[in-house]
């Protein structure tokens, strides 16, 4: 059965750590880097499935702050694949009415790539069926440090008082502040860690870890993750009894 047929409660915002590309290439005896190209092709059906199920936002981890430490040939390949992805996705974004965004530290990217990303964001900004965000040169600690820097600058400029700084204000300065918080975070590839991804935005996310390598991840397993999410009780600090009472009252 499809998710819609089950009428399961769905997350508003899903995030995915797309891990296991290199291990897939090794498993399939492919050339180094070929797993990343295979992984790039997996994203399209997942995006379409999210839109079909009216998930508001999908955020994927394409390249972390720490990935700059990888071998140069792999970094170069990933940058080239990102450029290909942007160019390939623009017609799809128009077809499916999806806004395309990027988060991360752009200072280490080439001027050409930065311009391409900016143009893509501007061209798709009016699309409103869903938001696809690609995290590139991104780290959750960097994100929070940038937010702290912006708030500190506002405090020095006396735009805000120190007493005004709270969780709500901080949350307005991290990436994707205008999108719903991450409800479900999926990590493929068998590792059980967040790897510095969306540390603020996914503070209350339900976590789904799978041994499946990203190039082998399917829409069917994505539905499995959605089903697991639907079966979780999200308490946000409350007790189960309180949650059940609220359901009765509503």
């Amino acid at each position: 059965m499809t998710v819609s047929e089950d009428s399961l409660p769905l997350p508003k915002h899903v995030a995915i750590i797309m891990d296991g590309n290199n291990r897939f290439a090794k498993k399939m005896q492919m050339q180094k880097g070929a797993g990343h190209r295979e992984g790039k092709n997996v994203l399209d059906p997942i995006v379409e499935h999210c839109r079909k199920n009216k998930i508001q936002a999908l955020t994927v981890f394409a390249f972390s702050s720490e990935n700059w430490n990888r071998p140069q040939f792999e970094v170069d390949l990933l940058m080239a694949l990102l450029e290909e992805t942007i160019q390939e996705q623009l017609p799809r974004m128009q077809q499916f009415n999806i806004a395309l965004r990027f988060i991360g530290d752009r200072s280490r990217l080439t001027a050409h790539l930065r311009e391409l990303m900016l143009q893509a964001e501007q061209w798709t900004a009016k699309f409103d069926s869903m938001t696809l965000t690609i995290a590139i040169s991104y780290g959750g600690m960097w994100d929070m440090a940038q937010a702290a820097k912006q708030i500190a600058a506002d405090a020095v400029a006396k735009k805000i008082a120190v007493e005004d700084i709270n969780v709500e204000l901080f949350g307005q300065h991290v990436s994707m502040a205008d999108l719903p918080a991450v409800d479900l975070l999926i990590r493929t590839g068998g590792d059980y860690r967040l790897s510095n991804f969306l540390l603020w935005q996914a503070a209350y996310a339900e976590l789904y870890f799978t041994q499946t390598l990203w190039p082998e991840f399917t829409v069917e397993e994505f539905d499995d993750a959605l089903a697991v999410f639907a079966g979780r009780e999200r308490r946000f600090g409350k007790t189960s009894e309180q949650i059940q009472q609220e359901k009765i009252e509503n």
Side-chain angles (χ1 to χ4, degrees):
M1 288 188 294
T2 66
V3 173
S4 57
E5 287 172 342
D6 285 338
S7 299
L8 298 175
L10 293 171
K12 294 179 180 178
H13 191 166
V14 177
I16 305 178
I17 300 175
M18 306 179 294
D19 198 18
N21 293 321
N22 283 335
R23 279 170 285 163
F24 174 80
K26 186 178 294 185
K27 170 185 171 182
M28 303 301 293
Q29 298 182 327
M30 303 168 73
Q31 291 183 340
K32 285 186 176 181
H36 292 297
R37 189 169 294 278
E38 291 292 322
K40 182 171 75 72
N41 299 326
V42 174
L43 185 58
D44 288 348
I46 299 297
V47 172
E48 291 177 27
H49 196 60
C50 285
R51 181 186 176 278
K52 178 181 177 182
N53 285 284
K54 295 182 171 55
I55 292 171
Q56 296 179 25
L58 173 66
T59 301
V60 296
F61 207 7
F63 190 89
S64 74
S65 304
E66 293 73 28
N67 285 156
W68 290 108
N69 297 318
R70 292 201 170 191
Q72 190 59 48
F73 86 89
E74 187 174 353
V75 172
D76 293 342
L77 173 62
L78 288 168
M79 292 298 109
L81 288 177
L82 176 62
E83 184 172 335
E84 284 182 24
T85 297
I86 296 172
Q87 293 171 338
E88 291 171 0
Q89 287 299 327
L90 287 180
R92 294 174 55 76
M93 297 298 99
Q94 182 177 30
Q95 178 185 357
F96 293 107
N97 193 35
I98 297 173
L100 180 61
R101 295 190 192 178
F102 304 91
I103 56 173
D105 180 5
R106 305 189 190 193
S107 65
R108 297 186 68 175
L109 305 177
T110 65
H112 172 70
L113 187 52
R114 291 198 301 268
E115 180 62 24
L116 191 62
M117 291 161 65
L118 181 60
Q119 289 176 355
E121 288 176 321
Q122 292 174 340
W123 191 71
T124 65
K126 62 182 180 295
F127 301 151
D128 59 6
S129 71
M130 177 183 152
T131 299
L132 171 62
T133 303
I134 299 176
I136 180 78
S137 189
Y138 176 86
M141 290 185 286
W142 166 87
D143 196 352
M144 289 190 286
Q146 290 299 112
K149 186 183 296 184
Q150 294 168 16
I151 293 170
D154 286 346
V156 169
K158 300 190 183 304
K159 295 179 181 179
I160 60 170
V162 172
E163 293 75 19
D164 296 331
I165 302 173
N166 54 26
V167 171
E168 288 71 28
L169 179 67
F170 195 94
Q172 294 169 14
H173 288 78
V174 296
S175 300
M176 305 188 296
D178 61 322
L179 296 179
V182 175
D183 297 305
L184 172 64
L185 191 150
I186 299 169
R187 179 170 188 149
T188 64
D191 286 327
Y192 296 84
R193 53 178 175 265
L194 297 181
S195 295
N196 196 21
F197 185 44
L198 301 179
L199 301 180
W200 181 274
Q201 298 87 338
Y204 274 97
E206 298 299 321
L207 307 180
Y208 179 90
F209 297 102
T210 174
Q211 297 293 318
T212 303
L213 304 176
W214 174 247
E216 298 174 317
F217 191 74
T218 63
V219 166
E220 288 73 24
E221 184 164 3
F222 185 80
D223 278 345
D224 290 342
L226 295 181
V228 169
F229 171 84
R232 301 265 180 94
E233 183 180 69
R234 309 189 75 202
R235 295 189 295 273
F236 299 98
K238 299 179 181 180
T239 66
S240 294
E241 290 75 12
Q242 286 176 296
I243 299 299
Q244 293 305 316
Q245 185 61 36
E246 289 176 0
K247 288 182 178 178
I248 293 173
E249 292 174 354
N250 293 330

